[in-house]
Amino acid sequence: MPENGERRMIIRARVVASMDGAPIENGAVAISGDRVVDVGKFPEVSARYPGQAIIDLGERVLLPGLINAHCHLDYTCLRGKIPRQKSFTDWVRAINTEKAKLSPQDYVASINEGFAEAKRFGTTTIANLTAFPELIRQLHGPPIRTWWFAELIDVRSPNGTNELVDSAIESVKFAQNYGLAPHALFTASKNLYVRCEEAGKDVLLTTHLAESREEMEMFRDASGPLYEFMESIGRDMGDCGHETPLGLFVGAPNASPARTGHALPKCWIVAHLNELTESDFELLEKMRTKFHVAHSPRSHDYFGHSPFQSERLRRLGFNICLGTDSLASNDSLSLFADMRAFQRSEPESSPEKIFKMVTVNAALALGQQNTLGRIRPGFRDDLIAIPCREGRDLFGEIAAFDGEVDWIMINGRTQSIQSTCR
Ligand SMILES: [Zn+2]
């Protein structure tokens, strides 16, 4: 099979889980170029497209490619470098020490290595935050579909915020799909958040929020290790001691004027949201614009954050997705491993619901609900296949899959294949 495969073909598998209705036994997908054109039972699809090349994937389930909703490929090279720390603040110090040893070329290598690894585990789309948007032009065509988010921090230079945002937009615009990521409330000023919100209606936004207990302590109580650390580097701590992180983000009544309401009404992808109080849940209930939430199960376990309240957030209308986060707090870029970790922490969750968090839900968070996350005519043909055995619970097998994905298609191009072509 040539590397690029055929541009028009029918792909047959024992099951097609299109995420668009019930899984189709003896299913097939017809593709043309970078789009799906037909989905159904194999005999029917092949009759509608006579003479077309057929790839038979045999005893496998064909799935939409996975979408990683939160990742930092910059730090792929930090895998195993930072042992668990006593506190989140110690981890911030440790990653800063590691980052100081890296050159731009190390980061380029790290990002490329991360792309290759994510792809091996079946990820076809990634929301990737980079602290170095100027390096994007050195990365020649990422091998998977990428939303580049320029990660922005102005805590050490609060007077340079406007220039920081302008130059980040200039760099990140080099990518086809892009957005902005003010890092977190403790490192990015209100002005930085506002400037990002004003960047244009098509510019996606993401941020880290309510990740750790120490962030809660810093903002709500004006105390704790993170408070002391941020104060020591010269941050203006005037917004602390009034509100929770979530309260500040959504503009709760008690928030200090320096912070009120900077994050609405645009629809953000909010990473983490681990630490929430009852008053936070009241605010979330009242919110009209329900943002997207990116949860990183294994990174969450690494830090030992409070239990993630996925069911409560879901019931309030929040769209929950999964991301791997970076390898500075995780040990692989496998979303399957994060699905397994999620299932371990919430055994009562249905595997199908978990799988939606890396397909349908994540596509919605990127505004791609009409092109990605499902196998449907008109959608992109980003597809993966994994083994499945007859008589097993299909989604149970999918969410429990442990290994690399040996068949993957992105933009109508097969990346590798070990099955029968005829
Ligand atoms: Zn992150």
Side-chain angles (χ1 to χ4, degrees), residues 70-72 91 129 151 183 208 211 271-272 296 299 325-326 329:
H70 184 80
C71 188
H72 308 252
W91 179 86
L129 284 68
E151 186 175 61
H183 170 255
H208 300 87
E211 180 172 6
H272 306 311
S296 298
S299 179
D325 214 343
S326 85
S329 58

Side-chain angles (χ1 to χ4, degrees), residues 30-247:
I31 65 148
S32 176
D34 60 5
R35 302 280 169 172
V36 170
V37 291
D38 200 0
V39 188
K41 290 274 189 194
F42 174 66
E44 291 155 22
V45 172
S46 55
R48 287 195 285 269
Y49 295 87
Q52 204 141 107
I54 294 167
I55 294 179
D56 189 346
L57 296 173
E59 293 298 296
R60 288 182 170 133
V61 54
L62 187 63
L63 302 164
L66 310 187
I67 304 172
N68 188 337
H70 184 80
C71 188
H72 308 252
L73 296 181
D74 293 349
Y75 310 129
T76 306
C77 62
L78 297 187
R79 179 185 353 235
K81 292 261 164 59
I82 307 177
R84 285 174 204 234
Q85 305 287 310
K86 274 208 313 292
S87 73
F88 180 75
T89 310
D90 286 344
W91 179 86
V92 173
R93 284 197 187 93
I95 192 172
N96 285 344
T97 304
E98 292 298 329
K99 279 156 70 175
K101 300 175 194 166
L102 301 174
S103 70
Q105 286 327 302
D106 292 330
Y107 283 116
V108 169
S110 194
I111 293 166
N112 281 327
E113 194 191 316
F115 275 134
E117 176 166 329
K119 196 172 95 174
R120 284 201 301 279
F121 287 117
T123 299
T124 55
T125 294
I126 196 162
N128 183 45
L129 284 68
T130 178
F132 310 98
E134 67 279 8
L135 298 180
I136 294 172
R137 55 186 74 220
Q138 291 186 40
L139 295 145
H140 306 291
I144 57 178
R145 211 176 287 285
T146 306
W147 265 260
W148 290 97
F149 289 88
E151 186 175 61
L152 302 169
I153 289 178
D154 66 348
V155 68
R156 290 177 195 270
S157 52
N159 297 323
T161 303
N162 295 353
E163 296 72 31
L164 178 73
V165 175
D166 291 345
S167 90
I169 292 173
E170 244 352 271
S171 294
V172 88
K173 262 166 52 182
F174 189 79
Q176 199 178 354
N177 307 307
Y178 64 90
L180 296 171
H183 170 255
L185 292 178
F186 53 92
T187 50
S189 66
K190 177 186 176 182
N191 185 32
L192 178 45
Y193 277 86
V194 169
R195 292 278 302 180
C196 290
E197 283 231 316
E198 290 170 352
K201 70 176 175 46
D202 297 327
V203 178
L204 297 187
L205 299 173
T206 190
T207 192
H208 300 87
L209 185 70
E211 180 172 6
S212 65
R213 291 184 193 89
E214 288 160 62
E215 183 182 343
M216 175 66 82
E217 244 184 313
M218 167 175 156
F219 284 110
R220 187 188 55 191
D221 310 328
S223 68
L226 190 60
Y227 181 92
E228 285 159 24
F229 175 61
M230 297 313 296
E231 190 178 38
S232 77
I233 64 168
R235 184 185 186 278
D236 177 356
M237 307 305 276
D239 55 356
C240 299
H242 309 280
E243 256 300 341
T244 63
L246 188 272

